[in-house]
Structure formats: C-alpha cells, structure tokens
Amino acid sequence: MVKVSFNSALAQKEAGKKEDEEGKEAGSLGQVLIVPADGKDPEAVVPVRQRRAWCWCWCMCFGLAFMLAVVILGGAYLYRYFSHQESGVYFCGIKYIEDGLTLTEPDAGVPAPRYQIIEENIQILEEEDVEFISVPIPEFADSDPADIVHDFQRRLTAYLDLSLDKCYVIPLNTSVVMPPKNFLELLINIKAGTYLPQSYLIHEQMIVTDRIENVDQLGFFIYRLCRDKETYKLQRKEAPRGIHKREVSNCRKIRHFENRFAVETLICEQ
C-alpha cells in the first residue's frame, strides 16, 4: 500500500496566500456604498465620497457665478455713477436786469440799468436727456445755493436747496427749461465768445405739498441727487405782482438759468 503525505509547511503557505487574497477582496469591498431599498445592484450605486465631491463642485460653481454677476452689476453701476461726475462741465454766467426793464441802446440822459450776474456749473448728458446745474453761493443776491436736475425722460425737475439740505420735485416746465441739445449749443456759443447774453429775469413761485418717501421711483439721476434727503413735491403757482414781504417770509429763493433768460424760483411753505 502506498501512503500519500503532504508537506505541512507548504500547506501553511497556501493557506496564508488564501487569507491574503480574501483580505484584499474584503478591503476592496470595504468602501461604504449607498444600497438602494429596491434591491438594485450595489455596484451601480455612486459611492458617498464621490457624491459629496460632485455636490461640492456644483456649489462652488454656483457661488463663483453669483460672485461674478455681483461684480459685473456693481462695476456697471459704479461706471455709470463716476462717468457722469466731471465730464463735459461748463462754467458759465449770464447778465440780467430785474423789474421787467427792457434792454435798450444806451442813452446819455438815462442811467444805465444795473445788471446782476448768475454763474453756474452746468453738465449736459445728451444721450440720457439730462441737465445738471450747480448754483454756487451768490456774492450779492439773496438767493440760496442749489443743485438742480432736469430729467427730460422722466419729465421731472428736482431742486436740492443746499442751505436747507432739502429736495423738491416738480414736473418739468419745458417752456422755461431749454432741451439739452439746444442748451448745449448755447453753452458752446457762450464759451466761444460768439454769444454774450444780456438778458432779463422771470419769476416763478412753487408751493411745497406732500413729502415723497420713495425717491428711488423718480429715476436714477434724481435719486442720486435726493437720496437720504427730505424730499417734497412742489406745485406751481401764479405769482401775483407786488408780493409783500410778510407773504414770502417762509420762502426760499433760487436764481438760475437754463435758457436765454434767468429764472428766480421761489419755494414757499404752506
């Protein structure tokens, strides 16, 4: 009879190899998987780590897109704001006489009329149909310094009385305010010295009515002028001749020009 025997060392080595292979298989299956409840194949399920990586990537993309949109919109707003600050500003003046006097040829027997002068900083945006007027503190006249915006697209005029730090808004009076294109031509002529205006003064009276709470509804340019200011509506009133001082004791005067004549705007509290 033939007796078959196995080498114990060889058997132990083979057993060790089998354990290593089983350990590797167990390690490869040690990754946590999301097993669906409907019994689908677990190999078709995305691992948790990979799913988290995709979520983080999408969140980062959305965050970068949002930040880019904010930068673009903010840059456009700042460009629009600062591009209108000092470009094309004219410093001009106009001579005028008061009390309805007419301009005549000088006569030796008649004293020459006394002229007043209004000087302004003027900026005109033709594409936007907007006029900006800044009236500095006058040297002799008893009127207030003011910033004025005439918005032809919104058909509104806004006065910022710098002495009171209050804003007043009224519908645009196109019979007094010259359109931007025509006004710009007038300013170019004044600057070139071809047209030196000697004009007259007209009067207009406004009555303060309701307060405006939301100035952002008045357009970009008037909002920029009147934001963080007390803002009121104005109503135009026919100014009677020979106003007594007691009637205008609660009124403020702004003298300006945006035409070939000067305008005295009287803003009165009720």
Side-chain angles (χ1 to χ4, degrees):
M1 175 181 284
V2 179
K3 184 177 180 181
V4 179
S5 62
F6 296 93
N7 191 341
S8 61
L10 180 61
Q12 290 176 1
K13 185 175 181 180
E14 291 179 354
K17 287 183 178 180
K18 289 182 179 179
E19 291 178 357
D20 293 339
E21 292 177 356
E22 291 176 356
K24 290 180 180 180
E25 292 178 358
S28 63
L29 297 176
Q31 189 175 13
V32 179
L33 301 178
I34 300 175
V35 181
D38 55 0
K40 291 183 179 180
D41 186 5
E43 295 181 357
V45 180
V46 180
V48 174
R49 293 180 181 177
Q50 187 175 355
R51 187 174 182 182
R52 288 179 179 175
W54 277 106
C55 292
W56 182 85
C57 183
W58 278 109
C59 291
M60 185 174 181
C61 290
F62 279 120
L64 290 175
F66 177 77
M67 292 175 63
L68 183 61
V70 170
V71 169
I72 292 174
L73 293 176
Y77 176 84
L78 292 176
Y79 172 78
R80 187 181 183 187
Y81 180 86
F82 288 106
S83 64
H84 299 327
Q85 293 298 308
E86 295 297 337
S87 59
V89 178
Y90 294 84
F91 181 74
C92 297
I94 186 173
K95 294 180 180 180
Y96 65 93
I97 54 176
E98 301 185 68
D99 302 326
L101 299 177
T102 58
L103 296 175
T104 59
E105 294 295 330
D107 191 353
V110 179
R114 181 180 178 183
Y115 287 99
Q116 301 285 345
I117 298 177
I118 295 177
E119 294 179 332
E120 299 176 344
N121 290 305
I122 304 167
Q123 184 182 14
I124 296 177
L125 305 179
E126 284 192 86
E127 294 183 0
E128 290 83 358
D129 268 351
V130 178
E131 299 173 2
F132 301 95
I133 297 174
S134 179
V135 183
I137 299 175
E139 295 183 9
F140 304 106
D142 56 343
S143 59
D144 290 349
D147 290 335
I148 305 170
V149 172
H150 299 297
D151 192 335
F152 278 76
Q153 290 187 356
R154 292 276 180 168
R155 313 295 290 182
L156 292 172
T157 293
Y159 302 91
L160 174 59
D161 191 315
L162 299 177
S163 297
L164 300 177
D165 200 31
K166 292 182 180 180
C167 230
Y168 304 96
V169 180
I170 193 170
L172 179 65
N173 186 0
T174 55
S175 62
V176 172
V177 182
M178 189 178 286
K181 183 178 180 180
N182 302 84
F183 194 27
L184 182 59
E185 292 177 356
L186 176 64
L187 296 178
I188 293 174
N189 290 332
I190 294 174
K191 186 176 180 180
T194 57
Y195 182 78
L196 299 177
Q198 293 179 350
S199 189
Y200 56 94
L201 179 71
I202 68 171
H203 302 266
E204 60 179 3
Q205 186 175 353
M206 315 291 188
I207 302 297
V208 179
T209 58
D210 302 327
R211 181 166 181 174
I212 301 174
E213 298 296 339
N214 298 321
V215 294
D216 55 338
Q217 300 177 357
L218 304 176
F220 171 78
F221 299 104
I222 294 180
Y223 167 76
R224 190 179 68 175
L225 179 73
C226 298
R227 63 181 175 184
D228 301 327
K229 313 288 184 186
E230 292 184 22
T231 306
Y232 299 89
K233 292 181 181 179
L234 291 178
Q235 183 178 355
R236 192 168 282 104
K237 179 182 178 181
E238 292 295 331
R241 294 184 178 180
I243 301 177
H244 300 287
K245 288 187 177 181
R246 61 181 178 86
E247 296 178 359
V248 297
S249 59
N250 200 22
C251 296
R252 310 293 295 194
K253 222 187 290 183
I254 300 174
R255 291 189 176 184
H256 52 97
F257 74 94
E258 47 275 292
N259 210 315
R260 290 183 175 87
F261 48 83
V263 181
E264 180 183 273
T265 301
L266 204 63
I267 300 176
C268 302
E269 299 281 349
Q270 287 183 333

